Amino acid sequence: MPNKRMKIARMECDMNQEALANEVGVTRQTIGLIESGKYNPTLNLCIAICKALGKTLDQLFWEE
């Protein structure tokens, strides 16, 4: 399932995938795979992404 909430949050922060990847210490491809739903990130990576985007785990990763 694609993570549209993460992509929207990234765009609201005026960040491209490369900038977010650099911020959290992964490759741009990893961010792309997370957003497309083809990669399940670790909890530590989820937390790093949330901090970089100013969101909570619930806001970005909790399924409704």
Side-chain angles (χ1 to χ4, degrees):
M1 172 176 235
N3 191 332
K4 294 177 186 171
R5 292 177 287 172
M6 184 176 133
K7 182 175 183 176
I8 291 167
R10 176 177 56 76
M11 294 171 79
E12 287 173 347
C13 290
D14 198 29
M15 295 178 92
N16 58 25
Q17 289 181 346
E18 185 79 28
L20 179 57
N22 289 336
E23 182 78 22
V24 300
V26 297
T27 65
R28 181 203 55 78
Q29 289 85 354
T30 300
I31 299 299
L33 289 171
I34 294 168
E35 288 181 354
S36 67
K38 296 178 181 173
Y39 179 77
N40 190 12
T42 65
L43 181 57
N44 286 337
L45 180 52
C46 290
I47 291 169
I49 290 169
C50 288
K51 286 181 180 179
L53 298 177
K55 301 288 185 180
T56 66
L57 285 170
D58 286 348
Q59 289 172 315
L60 294 184
F61 295 102
W62 190 258
E63 293 184 19
E64 296 175 359

